[in-house]
Amino acid sequence: MIFAATIPFLNELVALFVVSVLIAYVSFRLKLVPIAGFLIAGVVIGPNALGLVKNQELVDILAEIGVVLLLFMIGMELGLKKILRSGRTIFLGGGLQVVSSILIVTLTLLAFGVSWRVGIYTGCLVALSSTAIVLGLLSERRETDTPTGRLSLAILIFQDLAIVGMVLIVPVLGVDGGSFTEILLAFGEAVALIAAVLFLARKVVPWILERVALTRRPELFLLTIVAICFGTAAASSLVGISLALGAFLGGLVVSESQYSTQAISEILPLKTIFNAVFFVSVGMLLDVHFLSQNLLLVLAAAGIVLLIKAVTTFGSVLVLGYPSRIAAAVGLGLAQIGEFSFVLERSGRMAGLTPAGLGEAGA
């Protein structure tokens, strides 16, 4: 009774983590990626199944923390040097894949009378692939340094970079969003913020991390990294930029330090925990009853997405001059929807957008 009064959501947290561990273990034994296990766990404990977790607001808050940490990690892992080193492959191959995916989806939806705003939003959802799944599979198969692995990584890097712009543009595309000029203005503000943050932080953050590292206190170093992550995110939100973009910028800033590898290892456990909560929260949104009644619609949508992604990625790799065999391997490997599609779907829902303009059926 004491715990129930003090922590009213304790039982739900226990249910969330216990079921997640059990199903993640089963997924491991079946050789499924952990993300699949977390999504299934969310379906099982969600309100549309067993109903073990009813405090959706709590889960949403934890999921938002997971998104911030995920983007922070991506910023640290990418780093400005890696982006500049593979510039042509990243920006030409990745750019063609993302832009062509968005264009095909937008034109297709326009033909069915759907607005261009919803078309661009849906195209953004379709264009992204799962960095976690693809890199995990490449690592397990020891194909990271093969042509297929390097091309997949390059396109994924561009997608991760494109997320920054997508996170910005989705609220503007909403029902209360502005004109095309306001969209361009939003990008201009983002570019100015990025330039200012990177200029100031590259001069200050490496010095701070060096001073902290010299103390040889791991707890102080971890607290400093977390402070940079959430501090940059909060500072960005104060000027109207999303938390996710601020976290990504914070990660890029830390990547410029000689202690970036240590920072990644320190924050990885936190990122793993909160990202698990994020995917569980996404799984909780699945309405099993709706799925059973609209199975053909769901399968058709999944098939169309896989076809668009495979074709656009295949064509993008061909443009780079690689043989069709490698292009086909990369196209099939990146054909799935990424974790950030779920992030964008949440942002779109708050802005009054739904995939393909289908309302609740689309969500």
Side-chain angles (χ1 to χ4, degrees), residues 317-337:
V317 176
L318 285 182
V319 170
L320 292 173
Y322 288 87
S324 57
R325 176 181 58 84
I326 293 178
V330 177
L332 292 175
L334 301 183
Q336 84 293 128
I337 288 291

Side-chain angles (χ1 to χ4, degrees), residues 112-346:
F112 287 93
V114 180
S115 72
W116 65 270
R117 293 174 181 270
V118 173
I120 293 177
Y121 164 66
T122 307
C124 289
L125 297 179
V126 172
L128 301 175
S129 304
S130 174
T131 302
I133 291 176
V134 175
L135 293 186
L137 291 175
L138 289 174
S139 178
E140 288 181 8
R141 298 173 181 175
R142 298 182 179 180
E143 297 178 356
T144 305
D145 291 329
T146 64
T148 299
R150 288 193 293 269
L151 284 166
S152 298
L153 177 59
I155 294 175
L156 287 169
I157 287 175
F158 184 86
Q159 291 180 1
D160 290 340
L161 292 173
I163 290 164
V164 176
M166 293 176 183
V167 167
L168 281 170
I169 200 174
V170 164
V172 183
L173 292 173
V175 292
D176 297 324
S179 62
F180 185 73
T181 303
E182 290 174 312
I183 294 175
L184 292 178
L185 182 60
F187 273 111
E189 292 175 350
V191 171
L193 173 66
I194 291 171
V197 169
L198 293 182
F199 175 77
L200 294 174
R202 288 186 68 178
K203 301 294 183 180
V204 177
V205 170
W207 181 84
I208 293 176
L209 290 180
E210 183 178 358
R211 299 279 81 75
V212 172
L214 290 175
T215 66
R216 301 185 184 279
R217 303 293 298 184
E219 68 277 10
L220 180 58
F221 188 83
L222 175 60
L223 285 173
T224 304
I225 296 299
V226 172
I228 293 172
C229 172
F230 288 99
T232 312
S236 299
S237 67
L238 291 177
V239 294
I241 304 300
S242 69
L243 290 172
L245 174 56
F248 180 81
L249 290 175
L252 281 181
V253 165
V254 174
S255 74
E256 292 298 293
S257 167
Q258 60 178 322
Y259 300 99
S260 59
T261 302
Q262 181 182 350
I264 291 175
S265 63
E266 291 286 351
I267 205 169
L268 184 61
L270 291 176
K271 177 239 183 185
T272 301
I273 293 173
F274 285 106
N275 284 349
V277 175
F278 169 71
F279 288 113
V280 170
S281 71
V282 171
M284 290 171 61
L285 300 175
L286 178 65
D287 189 335
V288 180
H289 181 66
F290 172 86
L291 178 62
S292 62
Q293 290 187 328
N294 299 272
L295 185 60
L296 292 179
L297 173 64
V298 174
L299 292 177
I304 292 171
V305 169
L306 291 174
L307 179 62
I308 291 174
K309 293 290 290 297
V311 170
T312 55
T313 307
F314 177 82
S316 301
V317 176
L318 285 182
V319 170
L320 292 173
Y322 288 87
S324 57
R325 176 181 58 84
I326 293 178
V330 177
L332 292 175
L334 301 183
Q336 84 293 128
I337 288 291
E339 52 265 24
F340 275 102
S341 296
F342 297 115
V343 177
L344 287 178
E345 193 279 328
R346 284 172 173 269

Side-chain angles (χ1 to χ4, degrees), residues 9-28:
F9 48 81
L10 178 62
N11 292 337
E12 293 174 313
L13 280 178
V14 170
L16 187 152
F17 284 111
V18 169
V19 175
S20 297
V21 168
L22 292 176
I23 295 183
Y25 177 76
V26 173
S27 299
F28 168 76

